[in-house]
């Protein structure tokens, strides 16, 4: 099947051809009506009749319809794929260049600078895509998740993507899951994607939104209810009459930010909004195919009548009474109503003045988002108002950018002082060069992004980031202070009316295929060149296989205090340039982790030299000396992005085990893929027993088995010991990954057998 700028209808028809039958299998095996998520999962199972169905425990094997990769994660994913020896990817796949463009001067200048700075990486991605039959989207085409929604997502489909916000496609009734690069390799070589059979959380929506309330407020409220780990191991499915009042791109906003509650994915039922969106984005053939089986592209009617029978948990939200929210700082689940955030800021001692306001990102850059925001900008311009803080706007795709420029919306935003950035992630992922503040300057920013951990947006721990809707960001930009309540207050005596918008452009979208490069039918003659002296790209060497011995007396390199996300373990920002060079990017290992023994950030005792060193230096010294080590985390250790570098770097630096009170799904999987042990304290208080100069032994590894606890021992410097037990989530397959040294080593053995 030819690789094109959209999903071929033939692929969609193949999926739809078995959907009704597989849904019936699900009903029969489960003995009840089934949710949309269950229909899609059963339709993609390797063994729908034999698949064990214990939620949160049984492992399932699924065959996704396609794979998507962004430029930062694609480098490592494709470096891994190259080692398999296949001539071409086995499923449709695309690469999207969106992460490496730094925001500073504006769209045109920033894009030119990115192309020049990243030429080596872009050329690698272009040629490796050509070589292996992968669709390639040039820099400036747009953010991966927006392009996928516009071009590739389809109701009832399943995809994986090497970015945690892949669930964006759930807005179009697709099961879309963020994964690490090694998972993508499994699928690209024709294998199955393995994940625990998910729990199901149902969010029942009633009523409809009005005024300042937007789809973003739905997920901000859900994050308040579930917290950053409440969705771990679960699919969140939205249902009920309220879903019909939300546009497809509004649904995508909600699903996108489901990553912040740890959910495997989120999705909505297919409806008339989805039909209109498909037709508006030149996919009428897919809309026609979906129209023929509407009943199978939503939950069974009886699920809506009796949701407690089908879901593990049901959350009720009345959209008619939902107030606008703003969440932050430091965590996307720290929720405030906009009517209360000023009071909370004063109580906490946060600055009230806003230093920057930012609109866009993969979460909120749709045509509807921009029209609602522009309606406020026009009010302000008519009243002679301009923004009181710098306002940066990031269109999500070239299709949206060209359309909002044609319709005069960009001019509306620029008229009140906005700067339009390139169609890229930019400040959402730390690709923001700020000149107005420096580290230590405590300042507040408001944005319509998805994630707001310290250093996430600008690399500064002293920046306090708040997440809200685009229209609320616009109101704050005009007011300049967190004390402003757009529902009741005025800006210089001007009362802002509630925003209004259009879900889809009346004149249609501009073309959405600029920037797409289709691979040739046969790319076997294409040379993928990696300069051996490159600082940005490095061929991978296999990690060593397990030697069959217990891990005895491993020192503790790092014990993290409190929240430790993938951003803390492997920072983004300036480090993005090394995403294709494992050795160089390992120079950021644990730089953001807070040392539980000292309270300092980014440094600890070196097991080799017994001196305090930056964590990357201490880890490198362990690697050079052949000293294996362990790391220790707290609750939900490794939450955040799909960043497999946060698992590859510890492995590369000779780490063997990570202990924690709990892990999110994605980081747990990434560690397993790289041959590391991810062990959870059976008694969470064991975390408190571990001292800086301890060593830890992991015993009985020869008997490692699914559902069997692992016995471990702490040896203190005074000669005393503490025995403790850990649990794990390894299947028999995962244990084989551990024994082989990594999942990739097994793939190499399969496709490149020894002669």
């Amino acid at each position: 099947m030819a690789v094109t700028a959209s999903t071929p209808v033939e692929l969609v028809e193949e999926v739809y051809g078995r959907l009704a039958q597989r849904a019936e299998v699900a009903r029969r095996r489960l003995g009840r009506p089934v949710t949309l998520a269950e229909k899609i999962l059963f339709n993609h199972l390797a063994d729908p009749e034999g698949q064990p169905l214990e939620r949160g425990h049984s492992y399932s094997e699924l065959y996704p319809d396609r794979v998507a990769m962004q430029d930062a994660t694609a480098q490592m994913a494709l470096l891994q794929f190259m080692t398999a020896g296949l001539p071409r990817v086995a499923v449709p796949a695309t690469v999207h260049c969106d992460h490496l463009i730094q925001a500073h001067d504006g769209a045109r200048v920033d894009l030119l600078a990115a192309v020049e700075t990243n030429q080596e990486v872009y050329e690698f991605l272009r040629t490796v895509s050509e070589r292996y039959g992968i669709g390639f989207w040039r820099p400036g085409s747009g953010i991966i998740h927006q392009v996928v929604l516009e071009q590739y997502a389809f109701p009832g489909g399943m995809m994986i993507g090497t970015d945690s916000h892949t669930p964006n496609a759930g807005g179009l009734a697709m099961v879309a899951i963020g994964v690490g690069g090694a998972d993508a390799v499994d699928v690209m070589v024709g294998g199955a994607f393995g994940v625990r059979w998910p729990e199901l959380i149902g969010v029942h929506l009633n009523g409809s939104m009005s005024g300042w309330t937007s789809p973003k407020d739905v997920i901000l409220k859900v994050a308040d209810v579930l917290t950053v780990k409440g969705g771990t191991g679960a699919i969140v499915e939205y249902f009920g009459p309220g879903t019909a009042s939300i546009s497809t791109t509004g649904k995508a906003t909600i699903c996108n930010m489901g990553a912040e509650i740890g959910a495997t994915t989120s999705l909505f039922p297919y409806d008339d909004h989805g039909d209109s969106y498909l037709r508006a984005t030149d996919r009428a053939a897919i809309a026609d195919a979906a129209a023929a089986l509407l009943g199978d592209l939503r939950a069974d009617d009886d699920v809506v009548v009796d949701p407690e029978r089908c879901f593990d948990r049901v959350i009720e939200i009345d959209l008619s009474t939902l107030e606008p929210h703003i969440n932050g700082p430091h965590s996307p689940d720290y929720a405030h109503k906009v009517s209360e955030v000023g009071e909370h800021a004063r109580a906490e001692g946060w600055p009230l003045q806003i230093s920057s306001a930012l609109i866009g990102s993969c979460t909120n850059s749709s045509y509807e988002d921009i029209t609602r925001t522009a309606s406020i900008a026009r009010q302000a311009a008519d009243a002679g108002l301009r923004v009181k803080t710098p306002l940066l706007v990031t269109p999500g795709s070239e299709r949206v950018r060209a359309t909002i420029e044609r319709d005069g919306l960009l001019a509306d935003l620029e008229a009140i002082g906005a700067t339009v950035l390139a169609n890229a992630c930019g400040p959402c992922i730390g690709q923001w060069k700020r000149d107005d503040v420096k580290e230590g300057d405590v300042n507040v920013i408001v944005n319509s992004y998805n994630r707001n951990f310290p250093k996430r947006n600008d690399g500064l721990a002293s920046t306090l980031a708040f997440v809200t809707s685009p229209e609320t960001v616009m109101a704050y930009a005009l007011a300049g202070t967190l004390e402003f309540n757009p529902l009741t207050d005025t800006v210089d005596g001007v009362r802002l009316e509630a925003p209004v918008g259009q879900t889809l452009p009346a004149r249609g979208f501009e073309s959405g295929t600029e920037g797409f490069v289709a691979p040739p039918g046969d790319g076997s003659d294409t040379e993928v060149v990696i300069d051996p002296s490159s600082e940005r790209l490095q061929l991978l060497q296999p990690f060593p296989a397990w030697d069959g011995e217990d891990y005895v007396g491993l020192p503790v390199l790092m014990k993290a205090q409190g929240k430790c996300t993938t951003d803390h373990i492997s920072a983004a920002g300036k480090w993005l340039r090394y995403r294709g060079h494992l050795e160089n990017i390992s120079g950021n290992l644990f730089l953001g982790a807070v040392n539980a023994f000292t309270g300092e950030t980014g440094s600890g005792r070196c097991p080799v030299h017994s001196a305090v060193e930056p964590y990357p230096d201490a880890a490198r010294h362990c690697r050079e000396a052949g000293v294996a080590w362990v790391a220790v985390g707290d609750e939900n250790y490794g939450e955040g992005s799909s960043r497999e570098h946060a698992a590859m770097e510890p492995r590369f630096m000779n780490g063997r085990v990570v202990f924690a009170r709990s892990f999110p799904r994605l980081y747990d999987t990434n560690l397993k893929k790289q041959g590391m042990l991810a062990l959870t304290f059976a008694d969470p208080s064991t975390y408190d027993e571990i001292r800086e100069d301890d060593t830890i032994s992991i015993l009985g590894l020869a008997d490692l088995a699914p559902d069997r606890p692992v016995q471990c021992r702490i040896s203190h410097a005074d000669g005393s010991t503490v025995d403790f037990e850990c649990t794990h989530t390894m299947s028999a397959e995962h244990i084989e990954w551990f024994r082989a040294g990594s999942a990739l080593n097994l793939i190499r053995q399969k496709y490149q057998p020894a002669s």
Side-chain angles (χ1 to χ4, degrees):
M1 194 175 293
V3 179
T4 64
S6 187
T7 295
V9 70
E10 294 82 3
L11 186 154
V12 178
E13 290 172 340
E14 179 184 341
V15 173
Y16 288 175
R18 61 178 187 265
L19 179 56
Q21 183 267 332
R22 291 289 186 90
E24 195 54 46
V25 172
R27 294 184 191 98
R28 172 170 51 80
R29 292 201 60 199
L30 294 169
R32 57 167 172 76
V34 292
T35 69
L36 174 59
E38 289 170 325
K39 293 178 185 181
I40 298 173
L41 292 173
F42 264 86
N43 198 28
H44 291 83
L45 275 172
D47 181 12
E49 291 287 358
Q51 168 65 45
L53 301 174
E54 185 181 349
R55 288 182 181 174
H57 184 77
S58 302
Y59 276 97
S60 60
E61 290 196 334
L62 302 121
Y63 285 98
D65 302 310
R66 64 179 315 114
V67 175
M69 297 167 280
Q70 40 94 336
D71 49 359
T73 54
Q75 295 173 64
M76 195 57 68
L78 292 173
L79 285 166
Q80 292 177 82
F81 176 81
M82 288 170 62
T83 69
L86 272 70
R88 197 173 180 88
V89 293
V91 298
T94 51
V95 169
H96 304 258
C97 296
D98 63 354
H99 272 55
L100 299 178
I101 302 171
Q102 187 178 59
H104 186 239
D105 295 311
R108 187 182 66 84
V109 174
D110 292 346
L111 182 57
L112 289 173
V115 170
E116 180 179 354
T117 301
N118 303 306
Q119 182 179 10
E120 176 186 14
V121 172
Y122 290 149
E123 187 63 8
F124 164 71
L125 293 173
R126 184 191 68 80
T127 56
V128 76
S129 296
E130 183 177 300
R131 171 69 175 79
Y132 294 107
I134 299 168
F136 178 73
W137 290 81
R138 295 190 188 99
S141 302
I143 304 173
I144 176 173
H145 310 304
Q146 290 305 304
V147 175
V148 165
L149 191 71
E150 295 168 3
Q151 306 291 147
Y152 296 111
F154 66 93
M158 181 181 181
M159 68 173 288
I160 60 170
T162 59
D163 190 282
S164 58
H165 294 103
T166 300
N168 192 80
L172 202 49
M174 190 176 205
V175 167
I177 301 175
V179 301
D183 274 323
V185 173
D186 279 347
V187 175
M188 288 191 291
V189 300
F193 165 62
V195 67
R196 280 196 160 186
W197 193 247
E199 296 180 349
L200 292 176
I201 297 173
V203 181
H204 185 222
L205 300 181
N206 273 305
S208 60
M209 294 174 290
S210 62
W212 285 87
T213 304
S214 77
K216 186 64 162 281
D217 298 305
V218 176
I219 185 58
L220 294 177
K221 178 61 178 178
V222 172
D224 180 29
V225 173
L226 287 176
T227 77
V228 291
K229 66 175 186 175
T232 300
I235 289 179
V236 178
E237 182 169 332
Y238 293 82
F239 68 101
T243 63
S245 69
I246 305 174
S247 69
T248 292
T249 52
K251 292 178 173 79
T253 291
I254 295 167
C255 293
N256 176 298
M257 202 174 156
E260 308 329 316
I261 57 173
T264 300
T265 193
S266 304
L267 79 165
F268 276 81
Y270 184 61
D271 57 16
D272 290 343
H273 284 294
D275 181 90
S276 298
Y277 185 77
L278 284 172
R279 297 183 191 281
T281 50
D282 304 318
R283 292 175 286 173
I286 295 177
D288 290 340
L293 63 162
L294 286 177
D296 285 319
L297 294 174
R298 59 187 63 158
D300 289 347
D301 290 343
D302 286 345
V303 171
V304 182
V305 173
D306 186 11
E308 284 77 10
R309 184 181 176 194
C310 304
F311 294 103
D312 297 284
R313 178 176 181 180
V314 177
I315 297 169
E316 297 280 349
I317 295 180
D318 183 354
L319 299 177
S320 302
T321 60
L322 181 64
E323 292 187 43
H325 277 59
I326 178 169
N327 289 18
H330 301 327
S331 190
D333 60 349
Y334 190 4
H336 321 270
K337 297 175 183 177
V338 294
S339 59
E340 300 171 345
V341 69
E343 177 186 348
H344 293 175
R346 287 191 298 274
E348 296 292 337
W350 303 326
L352 296 173
Q353 182 180 357
I354 297 167
S355 66
S356 277
L358 307 100
I359 292 170
S361 87
C362 63
T363 316
N364 276 114
S365 55
S366 68
Y367 186 82
E368 181 180 23
D369 288 329
I370 300 301
T371 57
R372 284 174 62 87
T373 304
S375 75
I376 302 170
R378 286 192 294 272
Q379 293 181 51
D382 290 345
L385 301 177
R386 287 178 64 85
V387 294
K388 294 180 179 177
T389 187
L391 173 63
L392 305 179
V393 179
T394 305
S397 69
E398 178 56 22
R399 171 173 257 168
V400 167
R401 189 213 62 78
T403 305
I404 62 177
E405 180 180 43
R406 180 201 68 194
D407 293 350
L409 303 174
L410 279 185
D412 290 335
L413 299 175
E414 291 172 334
I416 60 165
T419 298
V420 179
L421 302 176
N423 311 323
C425 299
C428 182
I429 59 160
Q431 285 285 61
W432 181 20
K433 183 180 179 184
R434 294 188 74 177
D435 299 320
D436 57 324
V437 295
K438 62 183 184 299
E439 184 61 86
D441 296 338
V442 180
N443 71 104
V444 162
I445 64 172
V446 293
N447 63 62
S448 69
Y449 303 161
N450 43 44
R451 198 165 279 159
N452 59 350
F453 303 132
K455 297 188 177 183
R456 170 72 182 185
N457 302 121
D458 57 10
L460 304 177
S462 52
T463 293
L464 309 181
F466 291 80
V467 176
T468 187
S469 68
E471 46 268 65
T472 303
V473 172
M474 174 59 81
Y476 281 127
L478 291 165
T481 174
L482 284 180
E483 288 191 291
F484 179 69
N485 179 0
L487 281 66
T488 58
D489 297 343
T490 62
V491 179
D492 298 339
V494 177
R495 174 73 178 273
L496 298 173
E497 297 298 324
V500 294
Q502 296 173 257
T503 58
L504 296 168
R507 297 164 57 192
F509 283 106
E510 291 293 294
S511 174
T513 59
E514 293 91 346
F516 176 72
V517 180
D522 181 0
S524 57
D525 291 336
T526 299
E527 182 181 3
V528 181
V529 179
I530 298 177
D531 184 345
S533 63
S534 172
E535 293 184 350
R536 301 194 62 177
L537 296 166
Q538 181 186 51
L539 291 173
L540 295 174
Q541 298 299 318
F543 291 133
W546 176 55
D547 63 5
E549 301 294 327
D550 286 344
Y551 292 150
V552 177
L554 274 57
V556 178
L557 178 73
M558 189 279 300
K559 179 180 175 181
Q561 175 181 299
K563 185 183 288 288
C564 192
T565 72
T566 51
D567 282 273
H568 296 88
I569 301 167
S570 173
K574 67 179 182 180
W575 292 96
L576 282 172
R577 65 181 283 105
Y578 298 122
R579 283 287 183 86
H581 198 294
L582 183 55
E583 183 173 359
N584 284 348
I585 198 171
S586 295
N588 71 4
L589 180 61
F590 300 141
L591 280 180
V594 176
N595 186 328
F597 304 118
T598 66
E600 299 295 320
T601 299
S603 62
R605 175 181 172 275
C606 173
V608 176
H609 299 132
S610 298
V612 175
E613 298 175 353
Y615 281 130
D617 291 348
R620 178 169 49 83
H621 294 150
C622 287
R623 182 174 189 268
E624 292 170 347
V627 174
W629 49 269
V630 305
V632 180
D634 206 323
E635 293 283 358
N636 213 35
Y637 177 80
E639 70 176 90
S641 73
S642 66
R643 198 167 305 167
E644 69 178 342
H645 296 76
M648 295 186 80
E649 291 176 35
R651 181 75 163 103
F652 178 77
M653 289 294 207
N654 220 30
R656 291 291 185 270
V657 186
V658 179
F659 296 96
R661 283 175 162 149
S662 64
F663 293 98
R665 171 195 64 87
L666 192 44
Y667 190 63
D668 179 70
T669 299
N670 284 344
L671 287 170
K672 294 173 189 169
K673 286 282 184 179
Q674 304 307 327
M676 291 195 72
L677 292 177
L679 301 180
T680 303
F681 298 119
D683 178 354
S685 67
T686 303
Y687 169 93
D688 300 313
E689 296 281 351
I690 297 172
R691 305 171 188 170
E692 186 174 30
D693 53 359
D694 285 346
T695 62
I696 300 180
S697 299
I698 301 88
L699 308 173
L701 287 178
D703 298 321
L704 192 62
D707 300 319
R708 180 180 295 170
V710 176
Q711 304 304 315
C712 306
R713 177 174 298 141
I714 300 169
S715 297
H716 294 313
D718 62 8
S720 62
T721 61
V722 177
D723 288 342
F724 67 98
E725 189 173 87
C726 282
T727 60
H728 64 85
T729 60
M730 283 181 283
S731 66
E733 181 185 25
H734 300 156
I735 292 169
E736 289 305 308
W737 297 348
F738 165 71
R739 290 171 176 160
S742 71
L744 186 58
N745 286 354
L746 289 180
I747 291 176
R748 286 191 182 99
Q749 292 170 20
K750 179 177 180 180
Y751 293 101
Q752 294 183 330
S755 55

